[in-house]
Amino acid sequence: MSVEELSQEERDTWMRALKQWSLAREGKAIERTFEFADFREAWGFMSQVALMAEKRDHHPEWFNVYNKVEITLTTHDAGGLSLRDVNMAKAIDKLV
């Protein structure tokens, strides 16, 4: 099954709904930084996201230092931002 990149209009509409996420990589990805009380909380959050990502077969690009987790979502098969990224971002937002 083919995954399609969002049109500019679709991307703009979804970005209004994903208020804490920002466009990255010339509109081909979205990113958000999460900050937690300490490393333990950050790692727990990453564990939850990892289990979700594995179940959805849609894995984030991320970076962690102590209490901060930076997540980037893009769909390589689509060549940019897709509905899979939007749905993953919405699911991640529900964890915090």
Side-chain angles (χ1 to χ4, degrees):
M1 182 167 89
S2 163
V3 180
E4 294 197 20
E5 183 176 7
L6 295 176
S7 69
Q8 183 172 342
E9 183 179 328
E10 292 170 321
R11 185 188 69 205
D12 293 345
T13 298
W14 280 114
M15 290 310 297
R16 285 191 292 277
L18 297 172
K19 296 188 186 307
Q20 296 180 324
W21 293 79
S22 56
L23 287 173
R25 300 181 189 166
E26 298 178 0
K28 299 288 187 180
I30 53 176
E31 62 187 9
R32 180 174 173 193
T33 299
F34 297 84
E35 191 167 337
F36 300 92
D38 55 28
F39 179 75
R40 184 182 54 80
E41 277 190 25
W43 190 265
F45 169 74
M46 290 176 67
S47 295
Q48 289 179 298
V49 172
L51 293 172
M52 180 190 320
E54 192 64 19
K55 187 179 280 187
R56 293 168 179 252
D57 192 29
H58 191 57
H59 303 88
E61 298 173 18
W62 53 13
F63 181 75
N64 164 247
V65 174
Y66 184 59
N67 68 331
K68 290 184 181 170
V69 178
E70 298 172 12
I71 296 181
T72 302
L73 298 172
T74 189
T75 303
H76 299 285
D77 293 344
L81 199 58
S82 78
L83 194 54
R84 293 183 79 193
D85 303 305
V86 170
N87 290 333
M88 187 71 168
K90 291 187 327 186
I92 290 170
D93 285 346
K94 288 181 182 177
L95 296 175
V96 292

